[in-house]
């Protein structure tokens, strides 16, 4: 398996990105990670890891890098030779089977859309790819899709997100027959807006009706009774980032509160509590899943958090490898094909 | 001051609702709380509080109560003599200056809209009332508006929510010149959708431009640099409920984690940690603000959480009293009037 890794993407790139690639290829002998970016800087990082199997860490030079805060479309147009576009071009050419990046999410998606338009990067029948984020719940990990690829989806898009998210939950997260719900402001049928009502109708008339549970309220997400929650990219993105903000705020407040108490406790008590908090915070960071898959494209693509450290990158490469090797895309095509005529007005490819 | 309290609204009504009313009137000698609902059941609760000043706790009978999960409009139509409609009718008739309810939020808003249409319950110039929720942040409480009154607002609505939220933050939360931002998926100007772009334009061309900071991302909410965050009611409602769900999930996980450790610790350590957690959780529950004000109506209205206990009801009555007594509505009318012609296409009243 060959995976393109955007070595320049992320708040701390290329250091932890290259380190994660080294860890990943050491872990899996059949994995080749193509490091895409500034050759000189990547070489410098690789020199810090003498144990690295260089034959499975080829470098593809890209002269430019898109910053985390740059405007995606503008940056892609101005910086033609950037590491993200280069990675997508390699996937379009069949030179890699997957892409991983902790860089500018907007640029990753826009580049996929460009590649999709020009080189048929979308899976047959897919209207528009969606980003699936993994959230924790009382029942284990759940999928929320879309969290930022599609700001103004149609019911048909959300229907496809439900199918794709469900297949991802089954194949990659190991959930049996995951239930699908629409994120909404209430559980009653007529709640929400035209998008939620239209999507509901599509599901109820589809072969997936038995997996579809209707509306899910924000507070029920973490219960985990519904393992695939679909929503438009605007709501999903706000939810994802607000969730991160809430967890950070809560842990900061908790640390303050405990810091006031800890001096009164024996040292080993303090250490145990601190360790316990760290464990807990990790459960919310999802480094184990490495990032959010962009579903609906040929090949596999994982978008990592900008602050990803080597562990997250390593895990993203592991999941990308799994996705590219798995039947997940074949299943998506099969299911979309089987239900397209019934429920979805898909563009002809 | 006379406030109508929906004695039948809430998961545990009427018990904690009536208890909160008793506490509130004992606390403030100038407060009269009209208990609206099933006279017999309210009497039974009042009998449990012999210290209650019955002259300041009059009962207005309503034969029916709208359930927490009932469809709002349908329920309002079917149950004509319900405690929510009765409360709004009293406010429309000038018999009370404020309303408090922990009941069905949708029914509260729909009833306000009906009252608004029929009895001019909206403040002059207000297009549509909005619900303001109070969130915690590193800088103190912030206002998020709208969290569920208006599922498909126009930029003009969001503009008004910014003004009203800002005045609320200043007058009731004591924030000096609160900054206003639009909840969005990125900080760049062109991010988001037509609603966010349109609202941005209105603010930039308005007399409030100096308070307006542009876009706020989900993860920045809790930083508190922006004290008034505006969004459509769908996103706001999802955000509010997902935030509750996240906090519940996090504390449940934290309790599990600490329960594993606690047996190893001395008893007093465990007690202190438990107390500390309780304090922290309370910071996220906002019982001190009692609930979310519905802004833009004549009089004051506080919508409390369905699970409100007597303390939350007491505080909601205190805040409703404050709002009804304050110049907040006069300021809203003044500011809308001053800026209406410039920026907002308001309906003529």
């Amino acid at each position: 398996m060959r995976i393109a890794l955007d070595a320049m993407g992320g708040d701390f790139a290329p250091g932890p990105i290259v380190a994660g690639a080294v860890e990943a290829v050491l872990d899996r002998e059949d994995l080749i990670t193509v490091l895409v970016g500034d050759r000189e800087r990547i070489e410098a990082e690789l020199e810090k890891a003498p144990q690295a199997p260089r034959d499975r860490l080829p470098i593809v030079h890209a002269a430019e890098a898109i910053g985390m805060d740059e405007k995606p479309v503008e940056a892609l147009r101005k910086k033609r030779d950037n590491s993200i576009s280069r990675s997508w071009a390699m996937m379009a050419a069949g030179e890699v089977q997957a892409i991983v990046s902790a860089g500018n999410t907007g640029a990753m998606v826009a580049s996929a859309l460009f590649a999709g338009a020009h080189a048929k990067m979308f899976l047959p029948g897919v209207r528009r790819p969606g980003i699936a984020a993994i959230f924790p719940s009382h029942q284990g990990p759940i999928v929320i899709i879309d969290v930022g690829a599609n700001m103004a989806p149609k019911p048909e898009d959300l229907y496809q997100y439900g199918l794709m998210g469900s297949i991802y939950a089954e194949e990659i997260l190991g959930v049996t027959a995951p239930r699908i719900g629409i994120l909404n402001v209430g559980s009653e049928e007529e709640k929400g807006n035209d998008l939620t009502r239209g999507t509901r109708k599509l599901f109820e008339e589809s072969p997936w009706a038995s997996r579809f549970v209707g509306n899910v309220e924000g507070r029920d997400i973490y219960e985990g009774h519904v393992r695939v929650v679909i929503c438009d990219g605007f709501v999903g993105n706000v939810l994802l980032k607000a969730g991160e903000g809430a967890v950070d705020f809560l842990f900061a407040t908790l640390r303050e509160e405990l810091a006031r108490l800890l001096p009164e406790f024996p040292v080993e008590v303090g250490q145990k509590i601190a360790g316990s908090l760290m464990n807990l915070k990790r459960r919310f960071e999802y480094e184990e899943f490495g990032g959010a898959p962009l579903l609906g494209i040929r090949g596999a693509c994982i978008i990592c958090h900008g602050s990803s450290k080597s562990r997250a990158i390593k895990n993203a490469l592991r999941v990308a490898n799994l996705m590219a090797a798995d039947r997940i895309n074949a299943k998506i095509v099969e299911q979309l094909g089987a239900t397209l005529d019934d429920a979805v007005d898909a563009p002809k490819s």
Side-chain angles (χ1 to χ4, degrees), chain A:
Chain A
M1 184 75 64
R2 285 175 75 93
I3 301 178
L5 175 63
D6 171 16
M8 312 314 285
D11 300 336
F12 312 113
I17 312 299
V18 173
V22 172
E23 287 175 36
V25 295
L26 285 174
D27 203 50
R28 291 199 66 94
E29 291 200 348
D30 58 346
L31 179 66
I32 295 168
T33 300
V34 183
L35 299 164
V36 186
D38 185 310
R39 182 181 299 277
E40 221 164 291
R41 295 185 65 190
I42 296 171
E43 285 283 3
E45 293 300 330
L46 282 173
E47 271 161 31
K48 295 178 191 163
Q51 79 283 21
R54 296 291 292 265
D55 56 321
R56 292 193 287 119
L57 290 163
I59 300 172
V60 165
H61 182 68
E64 290 171 298
I66 292 177
M68 299 302 279
D69 295 322
E70 281 193 81
K71 297 180 185 177
V73 175
E74 203 175 291
L76 287 170
R77 285 209 178 111
K78 237 168 32 192
K79 300 180 171 176
R80 291 280 172 181
D81 188 19
N82 73 81
S83 54
I84 288 175
S85 300
R86 181 56 59 104
S87 300
W88 280 104
M90 289 169 69
M91 193 140 91
E95 293 162 21
V96 295
Q97 287 81 54
I99 300 182
V100 170
S101 174
N104 187 312
T105 300
M108 276 294 282
V109 174
S111 193
L113 297 184
F114 288 161
H118 299 136
K120 300 205 192 305
M121 281 304 296
F122 297 0
L123 291 173
V126 166
R127 295 169 49 91
R128 186 87 181 256
I131 303 175
I134 319 299
F135 275 52
S137 85
H138 285 295
Q139 310 291 322
I142 62 165
V143 174
I144 303 200
I145 179 170
D146 169 55
V147 298
N150 194 348
M151 292 298 137
K154 299 225 157 33
E156 289 80 3
D157 295 313
L158 252 56
Y159 174 79
Q160 294 200 338
Y161 293 156
L163 261 63
M164 296 195 288
S166 182
I167 292 167
Y168 181 84
E170 237 172 339
E171 298 292 314
I172 306 295
L173 306 180
V175 183
T176 310
R179 284 190 285 184
I180 304 167
I182 304 173
L183 189 61
N184 206 334
V185 295
S187 53
E188 308 87 20
E189 199 168 314
E190 83 286 2
K191 279 274 178 180
N193 48 34
D194 292 345
L195 176 64
T196 60
R197 283 183 291 264
T199 307
R200 188 185 183 103
K201 199 160 166 286
L202 281 181
F203 267 103
E204 286 173 346
E205 292 165 0
S206 83
W208 287 62
S210 64
R211 286 214 189 165
F212 180 70
V213 300
N215 297 330
V216 187
E217 282 192 84
R219 73 165 67 90
D220 300 326
I221 292 174
Y222 297 89
E223 295 299 325
H225 300 309
V226 177
R227 299 298 281 271
V228 181
V229 176
I230 50 180
C231 57
D232 74 63
F234 187 96
V235 173
N237 193 270
V238 164
L239 192 65
L240 178 69
K241 290 177 180 165
E244 286 173 19
V247 168
D248 284 352
F249 177 68
L250 214 134
F251 276 95
T253 320
L254 192 59
R255 265 193 301 272
E256 263 170 45
E257 188 81 19
L258 289 174
R260 280 217 316 265
L261 289 176
L262 285 183
E264 303 174 26
F265 298 161
V267 173
E268 66 274 21
V269 171
Q271 284 168 344
K272 277 191 181 156
I273 292 177
S276 178
L277 280 186
M278 284 298 291
N279 274 340
L280 190 58
K281 187 145 194 275
R282 206 164 289 145
R283 278 186 63 179
F284 285 85
E285 282 171 348
Y286 323 114
E287 292 204 340
E288 62 213 286
F289 303 110
L294 180 68
L295 298 178
I297 51 151
R298 291 183 198 271
C301 169
I302 305 274
I303 299 173
C304 305
H305 198 285
S307 65
S308 291
K309 307 225 169 62
S310 63
R311 185 165 165 265
I313 298 296
K314 179 193 166 185
N315 282 322
L317 287 165
R318 181 179 60 75
V319 175
N321 186 59
L322 200 65
M323 282 181 68
D326 194 87
R327 305 192 342 93
I328 177 164
N329 276 349
K331 284 207 175 170
I332 287 174
V333 173
E334 183 194 313
Q335 287 296 333
L336 286 181
T339 66
L340 271 176
D341 298 336
D342 303 331
V344 175
D345 172 32
K348 302 283 173 273
S349 61

